């Protein structure tokens, strides 16, 4: 014990000396290369380092107290300017030092680079010293009414499948999770996502117990002027949460950090549904990130370093000709660094502070770095392993905070979905799904102009084709008469002979198709679709969206979802043309007479009847595929045609309909196979299918924890 203390003390002394010397050397180097900073006499380097340390300890708490909102609203950049002001003030008392505006900005940054470099090469954990500041601040925030019952901390690794997690553990990249499993303190279990397998649906289900009508990551609301709704969009998330929340979320009296939805949290920090624009980004919980002058400088240096790592990765991928590969640029490098470094560290600091304070009952925090990198570099590319290693390190920090806290917290680690690998639809076939669909539609079909801009939808209507407009009006009238009759809907199979919509079943084109083909499968397999020119693509009345390997096709002239019969009547080339494309595994449409129809090139599965004609198109997409699709088919705002790409069951590859080589959103591969790591003392849950089952499991445990005392 004494020997260990001596070694630790000796290491601390050596590290402190190295930090001191490295800062002095950095100042002399800056004096040599900068035209806007002069150090003066040789001993001024020593004086500056000491003076800045004293200035930071005295002035930073004052600046932070009064300027915190400015720091937050500038995403922390304001703290760099405050550091520069502190240096400028201290330099006024040191004779011989001269610095212009650029020099004043350069000095704190160069000193931060030197400090970060030394702490890394000496393997010094800066967090060990910073957590003492967080603890001191947390003690000041404690309420007199200390809660004795256990709390629950839930940490999400965005996009990590259980299979990739196991590979990361085997590679030694996630030693803390491995320890939880090996020491039998926690149990690892696979669970299955809903359709769609993406963060919007999963977090809605996990945090609110309700993800109904979240069709995909993005969808069209026909009745709302064809508005495109995007789950993660700051202007759309609040509206979605209002629809799904009943006030009984997972995080009542808890904190939500870096999530899409709040779970009815009392402290939603960096949570999309509660930001409603960046003007609401400020939260007192973020104060913990700026408790000393160096912390954000360190984050900024790590941010710049991660950008360099991404640029290096781009070069390596290009030289090695790694395939599939996306074009990545400096803008993406900054986005990656923001998710992989800044949000990661901020999330840990905020959560640590709340754990040490002990006022919250529950917490749910997301770590997004893996998901962002896997989308662009690949699901199991070399880039992702270091990202997972850094995330795993955060779990060690949080576990340490739990051990230091005078309130006991249980820890759960989980993911919201996985990712499946594969070249995109456009990379494979040199055409986007949107343009391919347009080839199967008439040239004279007019529509909204859509440049696949998922963030800003221009609501401009181009005049309708007259023939299609007449169809629309007639079909619309019949639909209103038909679907207002609930009794008919209940008995549609028995009464369809007497009550068939004539505009469909007596339409000449539809009758010709019926005479030509024996049944729907014969039509699908035998009909030769004629591809049209795409030169009028900008005028097609069509919105095609991608959510990973899930495609959504909306024919926007009709405010209702078109039925299978209507699509066949109006656009006979469309369905056969889709299912015969080798990039498409199956489509889902809704029939007036049969209900949900899952159609593949060689067969049709009838969801409502649980019957297959020909080869089952869901073969290879999971045992619960039909269950997910049947549920999905009942959602509002379903597309006229839902498309799922193929899945190669030997490689688990799919092809995304958006430009991401690691994707999720549909069925196939590892994207539907996330994990949950929960305390081994808990009763093992039954089969976990769907995000709402995770909510039920965790909600039950939060209630039980109130009766357990540490």
């Amino acid at each position: 014990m004494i020997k260990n203390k001596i070694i630790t003390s000796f290491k601390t002394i050596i590290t402190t000396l190295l930090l001191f010397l490295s800062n002095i050397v950095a100042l002399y180097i800056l004096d040599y290369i900068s035209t806007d900073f002069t150090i003066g006499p040789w001993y001024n380097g020593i004086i500056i380092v000491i003076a800045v340390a004293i200035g930071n300890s005295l002035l930073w708490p004052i600046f932070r107290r009064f300027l915190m909102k400015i720091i937050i609203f500038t995403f922390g950049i304001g703290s760099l300017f405050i550091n520069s002001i502190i240096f400028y003030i201290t330099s006024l008392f040191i004779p011989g030092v001269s610095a212009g505006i650029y020099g004043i900005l350069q000095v704190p940054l160069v000193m931060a680079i030197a400090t970060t470099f030394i702490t890394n090469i000496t393997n010094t954990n800066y967090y060990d010293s910073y957590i003492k500041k967080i603890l001191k601040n947390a003690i000041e925030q404690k309420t007199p009414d200390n809660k004795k019952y256990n709390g629950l901390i839930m940490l999400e690794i965005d996009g990590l499948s259980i299979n990739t997690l196991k590979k990361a553990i085997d590679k030694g990249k996630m030693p803390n999770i491995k320890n939880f499993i090996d020491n039998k303190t926690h149990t690892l279990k696979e669970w299955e996502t809903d359709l769609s397998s993406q963060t919007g649906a999963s977090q809605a289900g996990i945090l609110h117990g309700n993800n109904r009508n979240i069709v995909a990551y993005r969808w069209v609301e026909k009745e709302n002027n064809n508005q495109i709704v995007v789950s993660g969009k700051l202007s759309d998330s609040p509206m979605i949460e209002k629809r799904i929340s009943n006030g009984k979320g997972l995080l009542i009296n808890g904190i939500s950090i870096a999530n899409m939805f709040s779970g009815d949290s009392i402290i939603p920090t960096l949570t999309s549904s509660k930001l409603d624009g960046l003007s609401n980004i400020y939260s007192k919980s973020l104060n913990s990130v700026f408790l000393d002058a160096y912390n954000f400088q360190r984050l900024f240096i790590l941010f710049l370093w991660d950008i360099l790592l991404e640029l290096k990765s781009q070069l390596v991928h290009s030289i090695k000709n790694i395939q599939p590969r996306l074009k990545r640029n400096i803008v993406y490098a900054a986005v990656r660094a923001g998710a992989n470094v800044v949000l990661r560290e901020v999330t840990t600091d905020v959560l640590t502070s709340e754990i040490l304070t002990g006022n919250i009952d529950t917490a749910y925090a997301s770590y997004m770095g893996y998901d962002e990198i896997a989308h662009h570099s690949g699901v199991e590319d070399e880039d992702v392993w270091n990202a997972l290693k850094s995330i795993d390190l955060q779990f060690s920090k949080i576990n340490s905070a739990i051990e230091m806290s005078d309130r006991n917290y249980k820890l759960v680690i989980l993911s919201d979905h996985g990712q499946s690998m594969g070249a995109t639809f456009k990379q494979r076939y040199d055409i986007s799904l949107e343009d391919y669909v347009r080839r199967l539609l008439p040239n004279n079909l007019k529509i909204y102009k859509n440049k696949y801009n998922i963030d800003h939808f221009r609501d401009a209507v181009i005049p309708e084709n007259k023939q299609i407009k007449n169809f629309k009006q007639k079909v619309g009238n019949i639909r209103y008469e038909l679907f207002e009759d609930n009794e008919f809907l209940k008995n549609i199979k028995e009464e369809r002979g007497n009550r068939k919509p004539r505009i469909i079943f007596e339409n000449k084109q539809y009758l010709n198709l019926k005479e030509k083909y024996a049944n729907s499968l014969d039509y699908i397999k035998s009909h030769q679709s004629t591809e049209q020119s795409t030169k009028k693509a900008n005028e097609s009345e069509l919105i095609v969206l991608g959510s990973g390997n899930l495609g959504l096709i909306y024919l926007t002239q009709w405010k209702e979802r078109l039925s299978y019969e209507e699509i066949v009547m109006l656009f006979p080339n469309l369905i056969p043309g889709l299912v015969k494309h080798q990039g498409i595994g199956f489509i889902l449409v809704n029939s007036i007479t049969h209900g949900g129809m899952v159609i593949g090139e060689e067969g049709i599965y009838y969801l409502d009847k649980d019957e297959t004609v020909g080869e089952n198109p869901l073969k290879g997409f999971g045992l619960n595929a039909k269950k997910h699709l049947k549920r999905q088919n009942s959602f509002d705002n379903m597309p006229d045609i839902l498309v799922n790409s193929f899945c190669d069951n030997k490689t688990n590859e799919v092809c995304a309909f958006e430009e991401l080589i690691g994707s999720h959103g549909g069925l196939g591969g590892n994207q539907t196979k996330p994990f949950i790591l929960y305390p081994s003392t808990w009763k093992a849950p039954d089969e976990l299918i769907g995000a709402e089952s995770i909510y039920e499991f965790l909600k039950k445990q939060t209630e039980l924890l109130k009766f357990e005392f540490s």
Side-chain angles (χ1 to χ4, degrees):
M1 183 68 72
I2 296 174
K3 182 179 179 181
N4 289 339
K5 286 185 177 180
I6 293 173
I7 293 173
T8 302
S9 299
F10 183 72
K11 181 181 178 182
T12 301
I13 293 170
I14 296 296
T15 303
T16 303
L17 286 173
L18 286 173
L19 288 170
F20 185 69
L21 292 173
S22 66
N23 275 266
I24 294 172
V25 171
L27 288 172
Y28 283 116
I29 293 173
L30 182 63
D31 176 51
Y32 180 77
I33 64 175
S34 175
T35 58
D36 209 28
F37 169 69
T38 303
I39 201 169
W42 68 268
Y43 51 79
N44 270 2
I46 301 172
I47 296 173
I48 290 172
V49 173
I50 296 172
V52 167
I54 295 172
N56 281 336
S57 62
L58 295 176
L59 298 176
W60 177 257
I62 298 172
F63 281 119
R64 180 174 60 82
R65 181 179 180 86
F66 293 102
L67 299 176
M68 181 54 69
K69 285 191 176 182
I70 293 176
I71 293 173
I72 301 299
F73 286 137
T74 57
F75 301 98
I77 302 298
S79 67
L80 299 178
F81 289 99
I82 293 174
N83 282 305
S84 297
I85 293 171
I86 292 173
F87 163 69
Y88 174 70
I89 292 172
T90 57
S91 70
L92 295 176
F93 299 94
I94 306 174
V97 174
S98 173
I101 293 177
Y102 292 113
I104 291 169
L105 293 172
Q106 289 166 351
V107 169
L109 194 59
V110 166
M111 292 177 69
I113 292 172
T115 301
T116 304
F117 176 73
I118 294 299
T119 55
N120 282 340
I121 65 171
T122 58
N123 199 27
T124 301
N125 191 348
Y126 168 75
Y127 187 78
D128 288 344
S129 61
Y130 192 65
I131 197 173
K132 296 176 183 177
K133 294 183 173 65
I134 296 178
L135 178 59
K136 181 181 178 182
N137 183 67
I139 292 172
E140 296 172 358
Q141 305 299 319
K142 277 183 178 293
T143 59
D145 182 24
N146 289 331
K147 298 176 181 178
K148 298 299 182 184
Y149 58 85
N150 296 325
L152 180 61
I153 306 298
M154 294 158 282
L155 309 175
E156 177 191 296
I157 307 178
D158 189 8
L160 182 63
S161 73
I162 190 169
N163 292 327
T164 302
L165 169 68
K166 289 177 178 178
K167 290 181 181 179
I169 292 172
D170 291 342
K171 287 176 174 286
K173 299 298 183 180
M174 306 195 83
N176 291 294
I177 286 186
K178 186 177 188 297
N179 286 338
F180 289 139
I181 298 170
D182 290 349
N183 295 333
K184 300 189 185 317
T185 61
H186 286 72
T187 300
L188 179 65
K189 184 178 178 67
E190 179 181 328
W191 68 278
E192 185 176 327
T193 67
D194 302 283
L195 179 67
S196 64
S197 51
Q198 46 84 25
T199 301
S202 289
Q203 284 201 351
I206 294 170
L207 294 174
H208 290 277
N210 178 16
N211 59 10
R212 187 162 185 81
N213 295 325
I214 298 181
V215 176
Y217 180 72
R218 53 184 74 92
W219 67 87
V220 173
E221 298 193 342
K222 285 188 173 186
E223 76 286 354
N224 192 18
N225 292 320
N226 295 315
Q227 178 184 349
I228 297 178
V229 177
V230 184
S231 299
K233 195 174 175 183
L234 295 184
S235 59
D236 290 341
S237 294
M239 174 266 292
I240 296 172
E241 180 160 323
K242 286 179 182 178
R243 294 177 180 179
I244 63 174
S245 174
N246 63 0
K248 298 179 181 178
L250 192 59
L251 302 181
I252 296 173
N253 198 37
I255 183 169
S256 165
I257 309 173
N259 298 316
M260 197 171 286
F261 303 112
S262 75
D264 298 318
S265 164
I266 57 172
I267 313 174
T269 302
L270 300 177
T271 296
S272 300
S273 63
K274 296 299 180 180
L275 288 177
D276 196 17
L278 295 176
S279 60
N280 295 324
I281 194 172
Y282 175 72
S283 169
K284 285 185 179 180
S285 61
L286 292 171
N287 291 2
S288 57
V289 183
F290 303 97
L291 293 177
D292 73 20
Y294 168 66
N295 194 41
F296 190 80
Q297 294 180 58
R298 179 182 70 90
L299 287 184
F300 187 67
I301 301 304
L302 293 176
F303 171 82
L304 295 177
W305 180 250
D306 201 70
I307 289 177
L308 293 177
L309 290 178
E310 165 57 22
L311 296 177
K312 174 193 171 186
S313 170
Q314 293 178 20
L315 182 62
V316 169
H317 278 68
S318 179
I319 292 173
K320 292 185 176 180
N321 193 28
I322 293 174
Q323 297 295 337
R325 185 172 77 245
L326 295 178
K327 291 182 179 179
R328 290 133 59 192
N329 54 29
I330 187 66
V331 174
Y332 163 69
V335 171
R336 162 187 154 154
N340 190 43
V341 173
V342 179
L343 276 177
R344 180 191 73 208
E345 300 293 321
V346 168
T347 295
T348 299
D349 287 348
V350 171
L351 186 54
T352 297
S353 178
E354 294 298 332
I355 290 171
L356 294 174
T357 303
N359 293 335
I360 58 165
D361 290 346
T362 54
Y364 194 100
S366 292
Y367 290 90
M368 307 176 192
Y370 168 80
D371 189 69
E372 185 64 35
I373 295 172
H375 275 316
H376 296 84
S377 295
V379 173
E380 294 178 0
D381 184 81
E382 286 301 316
D383 288 2
V384 306
W385 304 123
N386 286 333
L388 289 173
K389 184 177 180 179
S390 296
I391 292 172
D392 184 76
L393 179 60
Q394 309 310 306
F395 301 157
S396 174
K397 295 176 181 179
I398 291 165
N399 199 46
S400 296
I402 292 174
E403 292 173 353
M404 292 174 63
S405 177
D406 54 15
R407 183 180 181 188
N408 190 41
Y409 285 98
K410 300 297 183 182
L411 184 64
V412 168
I413 301 172
L414 74 164
S415 58
D416 54 343
H417 55 78
Q419 284 202 30
S420 297
M421 187 65 183
T424 70
F425 188 87
K426 189 173 183 179
Q427 286 176 331
R428 292 172 187 269
Y429 310 113
D430 201 29
I431 189 172
S432 68
L433 177 64
E434 181 180 30
D435 283 341
Y436 180 69
V437 172
R438 281 170 168 159
R439 286 186 176 183
L440 301 172
L441 297 174
N443 266 337
N444 62 351
L445 188 68
K446 306 288 186 180
I447 90 155
Y448 302 107
K449 212 169 184 180
N450 177 37
K451 291 287 189 181
Y452 201 78
N453 186 336
I454 63 172
D455 293 317
H456 302 283
F457 179 65
R458 189 169 69 179
D459 188 20
V461 180
I462 296 175
E464 298 173 325
N465 171 277
K466 187 174 181 180
Q467 181 184 8
I468 298 297
K469 185 174 182 179
N470 290 335
F471 268 130
K472 173 187 171 184
Q473 291 172 342
K474 292 176 182 178
V475 173
N477 292 337
I478 288 173
R479 274 173 160 263
Y480 291 130
E481 294 171 9
L482 175 63
F483 291 115
E484 284 177 1
D485 187 346
N486 292 329
E487 188 63 26
F488 171 76
L489 283 176
K490 294 176 184 177
N491 301 294
I492 189 168
K493 293 178 182 178
E494 290 78 14
E495 297 186 15
R496 64 179 182 268
N498 298 325
R499 302 290 296 275
K500 290 177 183 177
R502 292 182 180 179
I503 189 65
I504 299 173
F505 295 105
E506 295 182 11
N507 171 263
K508 185 176 181 180
Q509 181 169 251
Y510 188 84
L511 291 173
N512 288 339
L513 290 170
K514 282 198 70 175
E515 290 179 6
K516 187 174 181 180
Y517 304 113
N519 51 43
S520 291
L521 182 57
D522 185 31
Y523 158 64
I524 297 300
K525 296 176 71 172
S526 304
H527 185 78
Q528 297 299 316
S529 298
T530 304
E531 293 188 11
Q532 309 293 327
S533 164
T534 58
K535 67 179 182 178
K536 294 187 178 182
N538 288 339
E539 297 179 352
S540 302
E541 181 152 311
L542 175 73
I543 298 177
V544 179
L545 301 176
S547 182
N549 74 320
L550 195 70
L552 298 90
I553 300 172
Y554 292 90
L555 296 154
T556 52
Q557 278 186 316
W558 291 269
K559 289 193 178 295
E560 307 89 356
R561 180 185 180 188
L562 290 181
S563 69
Y564 166 74
E565 291 84 0
E566 290 164 338
I567 295 170
V568 170
M569 176 187 72
L570 297 169
F571 311 111
N573 292 329
L574 185 52
I575 291 176
L578 284 170
V579 298
K580 289 177 183 177
H581 193 288
Q582 58 185 320
I584 292 173
F586 63 83
I587 67 168
L588 170 64
V589 291
N590 201 54
S591 165
I592 290 177
T593 55
H594 300 293
M597 295 174 63
V598 182
I599 305 174
E601 184 176 4
E602 300 296 332
I604 301 173
Y605 174 71
Y606 294 95
L607 287 171
D608 295 355
K609 300 177 183 178
D610 192 22
E611 293 179 0
T612 303
V613 178
E615 184 179 317
N616 192 336
L618 295 180
K619 183 180 179 181
F621 286 96
L623 296 176
N624 297 304
K626 60 183 180 181
K627 175 181 177 181
H628 294 309
L629 285 163
K630 187 172 183 178
R631 177 176 185 260
Q632 189 89 350
N633 198 47
S634 68
F635 284 4
D636 297 337
N637 301 307
M638 277 289 287
D640 299 298
I641 304 176
L642 187 73
V643 182
N644 200 96
S645 84
F646 78 90
C647 176
D648 186 328
N649 290 312
K650 292 181 180 179
T651 63
N652 276 332
E653 284 196 357
V654 301
C655 68
F657 298 121
E658 50 188 341
E659 293 310 295
L660 300 172
I661 57 175
S663 68
H664 54 90
L667 296 174
N670 286 326
Q671 61 186 313
T672 58
K673 301 174 183 177
F675 71 91
I676 182 167
L677 186 74
Y678 61 88
S680 297
T681 54
W682 290 2
K683 182 181 177 182
D686 295 330
E687 194 174 24
L688 295 171
I689 300 175
E692 293 175 5
S693 69
I694 299 294
Y695 168 84
E696 295 294 339
F697 175 57
L698 294 175
K699 187 71 170 177
K700 180 180 179 180
Q701 296 303 325
T702 59
E703 297 300 322
L704 291 175
L705 287 174
K706 292 181 180 180
F707 300 99
E708 296 178 9
F709 294 90
S710 56

